[in-house]
Amino acid sequence: MSCTNLFSKMVLKRYLPVMLCMLILTVIVCRGAAVAFAEQSFGFGLTRSIFGEINKNDALAAIKVWTSEIVAIEGISIAPRPRLFSDIRNLEAALENKTIDGVAITVPEYAKVVPYLKQDFFLLGSRHKSYTEEYILLVHRENPASDIGDLAGHTLLELQANATTSLTKIWLDVELGRAGLPKADIFFSNLTRVNNLNRAVLPVFFQKADACLVTRNGFDTMAELNPQLSKQLKVLATSEPYVPMLFAFRNDYDADFKRALEKRFDNWPNTPVGRQLLNIFQVDSLTRQPAGCIDKTLELLRKYQQLYSGS
């Protein structure tokens, strides 16, 4: 055996345990880094009903820029992953698989995924200093109707624009059910859903349609610009204030980004990206509220189920 081979064997024998330890340590570190990298991401799920007619690519891009801005400010290593869901069942599966960490959804959608979300507090979109919406049924002042029952066989325009109108039809159906009347689709001779407030209100103003179902916030803003609307239209029925949408975290999600988000959400209106995002959600600001704030809304949904569970 040559001196070179003998020396190589001596070195290998002496340092083999050390080399094996280093190899094992390298594998452990790499796997740990891979796990850490996988955990350092934020899956944000949104449903199509949140945006209405807004371009989904614009919405997702704005959310990604906004989350990246928070990451940069807080010095957190995280990859934002916003995803848009058209089917609540797909969102439910993503929450169950833990590929989604937070959601922006309507309260009717929330009711279908309750077990997967934290129940301590919610972030709510606020409009005109209120995180609730009231729904009103309007008719022309020359219309002799004095309550909902008088509109049987008449025409109705229902505003369905975005998350703020997610409860309009549910509330109206509950009001009809309590009065012993059929659901709106049957009760009215024609029910047309429109995605624009003007298209709901103006036909009633010009007596081209009998009634419209809109948000009080929307109508009040419209009437400020055109006072003739409030003079010529009357409110036939008004809902209680309900919470139409919310932001919530997955029930077992507790990461640095969650705390950074909680710390920064009230600063949204003060940054260009934040204002763009608020505009996409069509709210003025965000407010943190205890989970009990949606109890009245959940009660409305339960009443709807009681009335129409067999239909």
Side-chain angles (χ1 to χ4, degrees):
M1 179 180 297
S2 69
C3 291
T4 302
N5 290 340
L6 179 61
F7 178 75
S8 298
K9 286 188 175 183
M10 289 175 62
V11 171
L12 185 61
K13 182 177 181 180
R14 182 175 180 179
Y15 291 103
L16 181 59
V18 177
M19 294 170 65
L20 287 174
C21 287
M22 290 180 66
L23 178 61
I24 292 171
L25 183 61
T26 300
V27 170
I28 291 173
V29 169
C30 289
R31 291 186 62 184
V35 171
F37 179 81
E39 291 176 349
Q40 289 301 308
S41 61
F42 181 71
F44 190 36
L46 307 100
T47 56
R48 196 69 186 88
S49 54
I50 291 291
F51 303 118
E53 297 300 309
I54 293 176
N55 183 279
K56 68 176 184 179
N57 293 326
D58 292 342
L60 293 176
I63 291 168
K64 193 166 185 177
V65 170
W66 170 73
T67 50
S68 298
E69 185 176 89
I70 292 179
V71 166
I73 293 173
E74 296 295 324
I76 302 170
S77 177
I78 194 169
R81 294 182 291 103
R83 290 177 57 190
L84 189 65
F85 293 86
S86 298
D87 191 326
I88 191 65
R89 291 170 296 184
N90 294 336
L91 175 60
E92 182 179 13
L95 286 166
E96 184 175 7
N97 297 331
K98 301 184 179 182
T99 58
I100 290 297
D101 306 307
V103 297
I105 53 179
T106 66
V107 174
E109 291 168 335
Y110 161 84
K112 298 176 182 178
V113 294
V114 171
Y116 302 100
L117 300 176
K118 281 186 180 293
Q119 308 297 314
D120 50 354
F121 72 90
F122 301 123
L123 302 181
L124 306 180
S126 178
R127 299 175 71 241
H128 305 289
K129 299 181 180 181
S130 173
Y131 58 82
T132 60
E133 286 286 350
E134 293 180 20
Y135 305 108
I136 54 177
L137 186 65
L138 293 169
V139 296
H140 199 278
R141 289 200 178 276
E142 294 182 6
N143 190 318
S146 60
D147 59 41
I148 293 180
D150 294 334
L151 293 178
H154 290 230
T155 60
L156 175 70
L157 297 173
E158 177 199 353
L159 178 64
Q160 274 295 329
N162 50 48
T164 61
T165 54
S166 62
L167 297 163
T168 50
K169 176 76 161 38
I170 293 172
W171 166 72
L172 182 59
D173 281 341
V174 168
E175 289 298 298
L176 290 169
R178 283 172 173 164
L181 301 169
K183 293 174 72 172
D185 292 320
I186 301 172
F187 179 74
F188 293 95
S189 63
N190 182 269
L191 191 160
T192 303
R193 294 177 176 86
V194 296
N195 58 15
N196 181 281
L197 185 62
N198 287 332
R199 293 175 60 191
V201 174
L202 293 182
V204 180
F205 177 79
F206 290 113
Q207 300 187 45
K208 302 295 183 182
D210 297 317
C212 64
L213 179 59
V214 298
T215 63
R216 181 181 290 280
N217 274 331
F219 178 70
D220 286 349
T221 300
M222 197 174 177
E224 286 179 9
L225 300 175
N226 185 356
Q228 284 299 314
L229 291 174
S230 56
K231 292 179 181 179
Q232 295 299 318
L233 301 179
K234 64 181 180 181
V235 177
L236 203 62
T238 305
S239 79
E240 294 186 69
Y242 295 116
V243 178
M245 65 171 287
L246 56 80
F247 300 79
F249 294 100
R250 198 181 69 242
N251 54 17
D252 58 351
Y253 180 73
D254 188 25
D256 291 340
F257 183 72
K258 175 178 178 289
R259 288 180 283 277
L261 182 62
E262 291 173 9
K263 185 168 67 174
R264 298 257 169 209
F265 79 87
D266 57 350
N267 196 44
W268 281 24
N270 301 323
T271 66
V273 175
R275 286 193 294 271
Q276 181 185 4
L277 203 59
L278 291 173
N279 185 56
I280 285 174
F281 287 122
Q282 299 187 39
V283 297
D284 301 326
S285 62
L286 283 184
T287 176
R288 174 175 171 149
Q289 296 293 328
C293 69
I294 65 170
D295 286 351
K296 188 182 294 184
T297 308
L298 294 178
E299 179 58 34
L300 175 71
L301 297 177
R302 283 191 289 269
K303 186 63 179 178
Y304 181 88
Q305 289 298 321
Q306 291 171 7
L307 288 168
Y308 303 110
S309 59
S311 62

